[in-house]
Amino acid sequence: MEKATGKSGPLAGFTIIEMAGLGPVPLAGLILSELGARVVRIERLGSGRAFLDLPPPLDLDRHGREILRIDLKSSEGASLVMRLIAQADALLEGFRPGVMERLGLGPEAVHEVNPRLVYGRMTGFGQDGPLAQKAGHDLTYLALSGALGAIGTKGGKPVPPLNLAADYGGGTMFLIMGILAALLERGRSGQGQVIDAAMIDGASMLAAPFFSFIAAGIWSEKRGTNLLDSGAPFYDTYECADGEYVAVACLEPQFFAEFCQLLPLEERFSNAQYDQVQWPAMRSAIAERIVQRTRDEWSQLFESTDACVAPVLSFTEAPDHPHNKARTTHLHSDAMVRPAPAPRFSRTASTATTAIIEDANSTLGAFGLTLDEIGELAKRGTIGR
């Protein structure tokens, strides 16, 4: 495999152990790696890959990491992982509560050898509570957070927003935030701590403003009847002449006025933006106008305005949008197109890499193991070559 050297980024110099898993933990490992951290991913020796078995050039769950395959069921394998943890700054794990403890690698045990370790635990339901041991996925946690029930059109069923909201928003991002906050706090106290990052908690926190809206009486729990859930005709998507769609999001009066002028929309609507009695007729009028032109024709008309109208692009179209191209929002390689690292830093730029380092000698040697020790571990089947 290609070998990554000279990593840059604001986390350069930090070492993170990632216990291999699915969903939010691998994405956290990728992002932390691209922020400059050295991320060592521990995979179970002899286990097959996940149901999404991607070829290496496309496998973002492993890019930018050093890979070690270890027999975690053996005491020698667990002891080896403990040696690595003893020198690490943080650990990421996404197992059900109790799994790491049964391996002898729970927080209490590892903090005895490395009290400065930041221990990030990613689960769906958290480390405690009646559902802590239950299986689930993004949609499960989103359903119980209340957020899923608010997503969908009027009279329609709740719609899964991919697995962006609970897995990656409520999971990955809150795990990363917890890791970074704990590392900052460690700079003052000198002590590590445990982060209990639950997707149901994170998804709930993402919806915090809507709890305020409900308490203030300005949000209905009937889907598709509110300002931001497709209830307002000026915050929705519309089909164009070619079967493609545009997104209309002109919430503010001045933006709505520009939208009405360019569409154009009748004056009786342009002067009654927030009159909900007018919304059904307004929606029909907007739909009748937009279906007369193609998506790209509308895009060309609105792109230099503040009317807040945008073409609804596919994943494959988005990288070619002029703004995304100008900002290099996506990276192009022979194997794939993918989003560039974010956010951006003025001094310590992040770097994306396709490197997957599977070199036990190099990785374990950097942790102080000799070649003889590594050879013996391989001979006994504790590690993979």
Side-chain angles (χ1 to χ4, degrees), residues 7-11 27-37 60 63-65 173 176 324 327-333 336-346 348-355:
K7 293 187 76 172
S8 62
L11 294 183
L27 182 58
L30 175 70
I31 292 170
L32 292 168
S33 171
E34 294 183 347
L35 289 174
L60 291 175
H63 284 187
R65 275 79 135 206
M173 295 306 165
I176 291 173
N324 292 334
R327 282 186 56 82
T328 318
T329 300
H330 298 81
L331 302 177
H332 296 251
S333 69
M336 66 185 299
V337 179
R338 53 148 293 189
R344 304 182 185 194
F345 297 85
S346 61
T348 56
S350 301
T351 304
T353 176
T354 59

Side-chain angles (χ1 to χ4, degrees), residues 139 142-153 156-159 219-224 229:
L139 203 60
L142 199 62
L144 292 177
S145 75
L148 181 61
I151 301 172
T153 57
K157 66 178 184 178
V159 177
W219 188 269
S220 167
E221 295 201 83
K222 293 182 178 180
R223 281 186 298 282
D229 64 357

Side-chain angles (χ1 to χ4, degrees), residues 277-330:
V277 174
Q278 298 282 350
W279 281 6
M282 184 188 297
R283 182 184 303 279
S284 296
I286 294 172
E288 288 172 7
R289 288 288 300 132
I290 288 181
V291 80
Q292 294 175 17
R293 299 191 189 185
T294 67
R295 181 193 67 178
D296 291 346
E297 287 173 336
W298 286 120
S299 180
Q300 185 175 6
L301 174 65
F302 284 112
E303 66 183 357
S304 61
T305 76
D306 281 339
C308 303
V309 175
V312 177
L313 303 177
S314 68
F315 284 134
T316 53
E317 290 177 309
D320 291 324
H321 187 274
H323 182 80
N324 292 334
K325 290 179 73 171
R327 282 186 56 82
T328 318
T329 300
H330 298 81

Side-chain angles (χ1 to χ4, degrees), residues 207-277:
F210 297 96
F211 284 81
S212 295
F213 300 160
I214 291 168
I218 58 173
W219 188 269
S220 167
E221 295 201 83
K222 293 182 178 180
R223 281 186 298 282
T225 63
N226 298 282
L227 191 61
L228 302 173
D229 64 357
S230 78
F234 45 86
Y235 198 87
D236 203 353
T237 59
Y238 290 89
E239 187 174 2
C240 304
D242 55 356
E244 301 290 343
Y245 287 81
V246 292
V248 176
C250 42
L251 291 171
E252 293 82 358
Q254 68 273 26
F255 300 153
F256 181 69
E258 190 164 2
F259 170 73
C260 291
Q261 180 182 357
L262 291 168
L263 196 59
L265 204 61
E266 295 177 44
E267 187 174 340
R268 67 186 178 103
F269 295 129
S270 61
N271 293 328
Q273 180 180 6
Y274 282 92
D275 181 359
Q276 294 193 27
V277 174

